[in-house]
Amino acid sequence: MEGFGPAFAFWMLSLITLVAAGGVMVSRNLLHAVLFLIVTFVGVAGFFVLLSAEFLAMAQIIIYVGAIAVLVLFAILLTPRASRDNGETKMAAPAALLAAALGAVTVFVIHDTNWDRATESPNLAVSALGEALLNTWVLPFELASVLLTASLVGAIMLVRSPEEEAEDVLK
Amino acid sequence: MIGMYHFLTVAALLFSMGLLIALSKRNAIGVLMGVEIMLNAVNVTLLTFSRFSTTDTPVAGQTFVVMIITVAAAEAAVGLALAVSLYRNRQTIDVDQANLLRS
């Protein structure tokens, strides 16, 4: 990726994404953490554009920002008397140690590997992705819809109130 | 010049940050946010490999990401339903209060 434009976009996106992820970590209020999470998702969508996966960037915005973030907000609103505190457990120090160790090892391995042979592949059209999903990988694609249906039914089962369940038993 | 190395490093940092959030947060919704960040970091890694490698099936990496986004959506729906269900039973969504199985 040559030139000033991609490099500038990359560094700005890295800054925004990592700072927003840090914001999810440090913000004390759960609602502020969700707003930082949305910024992280948008930053990752920017990376997808930079990696010339435009369709996935759109999907990222629609699914993560439009659906998952709203779902998280709904979960917060549906638990009114629970604590809105975004604090840490007692195991925060070992967790920080583990995460730092993992990050250090991965960055070291990435740094130590020779990536010179990797070349940029030509841009993919969205139609290529559609063809791959509906020809080569049609079975996983259909399985994904089964999975979504199952998770939808499971989520509804989990959040049904006890009164509704009692009514169903009486019928 | 921005190459594979830069993208992979940022994805690794994002992943370890998500791991830290998922492991250290007391709130169940906070833990789920960490898991979502980790999934996003993995997606960036997969797309980097798909972009910077020449294979017979260049679209495979993007297909992987489509599947991961689908599973992430399902996981978020079920995970947040679990959080709401936990709140119904215990009036809290703190994961260290979820000790129903402890005798």
Side-chain angles (χ1 to χ4, degrees):
Chain A
M1 233 168 263
E2 307 282 348
F4 173 75
F8 181 73
F10 174 81
W11 291 116
M12 289 312 281
L13 282 172
S14 312
L15 188 74
I16 291 169
T17 311
L18 290 176
V19 166
V24 178
M25 181 64 208
V26 297
S27 57
R28 293 295 86 185
N29 190 329
L30 202 60
L31 282 169
H32 297 170
V34 179
L35 298 180
F36 275 119
L37 188 73
I38 293 174
V39 178
T40 314
F41 289 158
V42 173
V44 171
F47 278 122
F48 287 4
V49 173
L50 214 53
L51 291 164
S52 48
E54 289 87 5
F55 172 75
L56 288 172
M58 285 296 139
Q60 165 90 4
I61 296 275
I62 292 170
I63 295 173
Y64 274 97
V65 181
I68 293 184
V70 173
L71 208 59
V72 171
L73 283 173
F74 264 113
I76 293 175
L77 295 177
L78 284 173
T79 54
R81 271 169 294 167
S83 158
R84 291 285 175 268
D85 175 48
N86 194 24
E88 282 86 30
T89 56
K90 285 173 294 192
M91 300 302 276
L97 205 65
L98 185 68
L102 180 88
V105 168
T106 12
V107 169
F108 173 74
V109 169
I110 291 166
H111 189 76
D112 210 42
T113 311
N114 180 21
W115 300 112
D116 286 346
R117 278 178 302 155
T119 49
E120 270 183 69
S121 50
N123 277 358
L124 282 169
V126 178
S127 55
L129 180 62
E131 263 171 40
L133 275 176
L134 288 178
N135 286 326
T136 324
W137 289 290
V138 65
L139 194 63
F141 183 76
E142 297 297 336
L143 274 177
S145 50
V146 175
L147 172 77
L148 283 175
T149 315
S151 70
L152 185 70
V153 174
I156 292 172
M157 282 299 292
L158 280 171
V159 296
R160 271 202 323 176
S161 62
E163 299 88 57
E164 285 170 342
E165 273 178 47
E167 276 175 26
D168 280 3
V169 170
L170 286 178
K171 280 172 200 165
Chain B
M1 183 189 157
I2 304 295
M4 215 170 168
Y5 168 75
H6 299 85
F7 282 104
L8 291 178
T9 308
V10 170
L13 291 177
L14 197 62
F15 185 88
S16 42
M17 216 163 235
L19 182 70
L20 173 62
I21 293 169
L23 287 181
S24 68
K25 286 299 173 194
R26 195 191 300 136
N27 202 309
I29 297 175
V31 174
L32 271 168
M33 287 193 237
V35 175
E36 298 298 336
I37 291 179
M38 285 158 78
L39 285 164
N40 269 286
V42 171
N43 282 350
V44 172
T45 310
L46 284 172
L47 279 182
T48 308
F49 282 119
S50 139
R51 179 83 178 110
F52 289 96
S53 63
T54 44
T55 55
D56 299 335
T57 52
V59 81
Q62 297 204 9
T63 317
F64 247 117
V65 174
V66 170
M67 292 299 157
I68 290 180
I69 289 179
T70 313
V71 174
E75 173 257 354
V78 175
L80 292 168
L82 280 174
V84 173
S85 182
L86 175 67
Y87 170 78
R88 285 247 171 85
N89 286 310
R90 304 296 298 262
Q91 304 295 309
T92 177
I93 42 173
D94 286 0
V95 282
D96 48 6
Q97 308 266 320
N99 49 8
L100 282 166
L101 283 180
R102 184 181 288 173
S103 58

